[in-house]
């Protein structure tokens, strides 16, 4: 259990750093016009919010520290 906490914590810290570096994006598709069964869509690349990276680092650090300090 201890090793799992450490690994998950380190993965979350790494993901948080990746988000803060501006490398994490996702795609969002919007429907611009729809006439009957025909529709015009646009796909945009959006950055993952900065707060998600900060939260990932904070939670990951807590899990990793908890794993290191846990006895057993």
């Amino acid at each position: 259990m201890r090793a799992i906490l450490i690994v998950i914590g380190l993965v979350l810290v790494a993901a948080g750093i990746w988000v803060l570096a501006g490398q994490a994006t996702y795609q969002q598709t919007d429907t611009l016009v729809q006439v009957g069964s025909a529709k015009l869509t646009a796909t945009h690349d959006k950055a993952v919010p900065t707060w998600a990276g900060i939260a990932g680092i904070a939670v990951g650090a807590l899990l990793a520290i908890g794993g290191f300090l846990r006895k057993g």
Side-chain angles (χ1 to χ4, degrees):
M1 182 70 177
R2 197 176 150 203
I4 293 172
L5 284 176
I6 294 169
V7 169
I8 291 173
L10 293 176
V11 167
L12 283 174
V13 168
I17 291 170
W18 186 55
V19 168
L20 287 180
Q23 301 299 320
T25 60
Y26 64 95
Q27 291 185 343
Q28 182 177 7
T29 302
D30 298 323
T31 301
L32 301 175
V33 177
Q34 183 172 0
V35 178
S37 62
K39 63 174 138 172
L40 180 63
T41 61
T43 302
H44 307 281
D45 287 335
K46 295 201 170 206
V48 175
T50 303
W51 62 264
I54 295 170
I57 291 172
V59 171
L62 288 174
L63 286 176
I65 291 169
F68 282 121
L69 297 178
R70 187 175 180 158
K71 292 184 180 181

